[in-house]
Amino acid sequence: MPLRGGAYLGEQKYYVYFRRPADVSQMTLLVWKHQDRDDDRWLYLPALDLVKRIAASDKRTSFVGSDFFYEDISGRSIDADSHELIETTDNYYVVRNKPKRPGEVEFAYYDVYIHKQSFLPVRTEYIDDSDNLYRRYTALAVENIQGYPTVVKARMENLRNGGTTELTYSGIDYDLGLPEDVFSERYLRRAPREYLQ
């Protein structure tokens, strides 16, 4: 397992299955995260029975009409930004992150509040070129599941238009021993229901 400064840097794969609301029910998102090139992303839209490849240029665009971006769902590479610890409070480490390629993103920088005990990022504030806060992520609820502190409810706010989206995670299990082929395009259309109970 490749580590640098405690961060996992190996290849990662995400499979996300949506139950609610009704307009995204049975939709699936598959992400293969790479360290040396752009991530691969696919989205299955059940209403159209369509698998859509998400272009790398779309990672900072709305995720199916929500206030989250594709990159918010699957994560941003640690190497995409430079990082600086700017503050330490009783509860948080505050890290400022500046993009190495500012022309590819709409923010000038973002500050992440990392909870000291759990090391979870519980708030992220995105600042534009005019030094205005325009997006904010907040972890609304954290539970200890199988020994892992886990965000179970989160909110993204668009402070420019007043939009807000909340995500709730349920039925969370760790260390399931998922077979590798679950993280393939064929399971976008045919969700592995034995693991989604």
Side-chain angles (χ1 to χ4, degrees):
M1 177 184 296
L3 291 169
R4 187 175 73 229
Y8 176 71
L9 298 175
E11 300 282 304
Q12 298 178 47
K13 294 183 179 180
Y14 295 78
Y15 183 98
V16 183
Y17 180 83
F18 293 84
R19 297 184 188 275
R20 289 184 293 273
D23 59 343
V24 297
S25 178
Q26 300 178 30
M27 186 176 70
T28 52
L29 173 70
L30 176 64
V31 181
W32 291 359
K33 292 192 70 62
H34 308 292
Q35 294 305 309
D36 57 350
R37 63 189 189 277
D38 287 326
D39 297 342
D40 293 310
R41 293 178 175 88
W42 298 266
L43 184 68
Y44 172 59
L45 303 168
L48 303 174
D49 192 27
L50 173 70
V51 172
K52 177 183 177 184
R53 183 79 180 257
I54 307 300
S57 58
D58 289 338
K59 62 188 175 185
R60 299 291 305 163
T61 61
S62 171
F63 176 71
V64 293
S66 74
D67 296 289
F68 285 87
F69 291 164
Y70 283 96
E71 194 173 65
D72 298 325
I73 302 294
S74 60
R76 183 169 172 81
S77 170
I78 193 171
D79 291 323
D81 307 306
S82 59
H83 314 279
E84 177 189 2
L85 179 64
I86 61 168
E87 186 180 0
T88 301
T89 72
D90 289 343
N91 295 315
Y92 305 109
Y93 300 110
V94 184
V95 177
R96 178 155 296 171
N97 310 272
K98 294 184 178 179
K100 293 179 180 176
R101 293 192 242 175
E104 294 183 359
V105 293
E106 80 294 344
F107 57 82
Y109 63 90
Y110 61 98
D111 293 338
V112 178
Y113 292 72
I114 300 170
H115 189 259
K116 280 185 170 181
Q117 288 186 330
S118 67
F119 284 96
L120 286 176
V122 294
R123 188 167 78 230
T124 304
E125 298 181 340
Y126 293 88
I127 311 300
D128 65 19
D129 289 329
S130 300
D131 212 30
N132 294 316
L133 171 65
Y134 72 99
R135 291 180 81 229
R136 180 169 49 221
Y137 164 86
T138 308
L140 300 175
V142 174
E143 294 179 8
N144 191 303
I145 299 175
Q146 296 169 237
Y148 299 100
T150 305
V151 175
V152 296
K153 189 174 185 179
R155 177 175 60 216
M156 184 66 76
E157 300 169 86
N158 183 329
L159 303 176
R160 288 176 174 158
N161 65 18
T164 300
T165 301
E166 289 189 1
L167 284 181
T168 302
Y169 304 90
S170 61
I172 298 170
D173 285 305
Y174 288 99
D175 305 321
L176 292 174
L178 294 174
E180 182 72 17
D181 65 346
V182 165
F183 302 95
S184 63
E185 282 190 68
R186 75 185 185 113
Y187 278 99
L188 285 168
R189 279 193 169 90
R190 186 173 66 85
R193 300 200 178 276
E194 63 270 30
Y195 299 108
L196 297 173
Q197 303 305 319

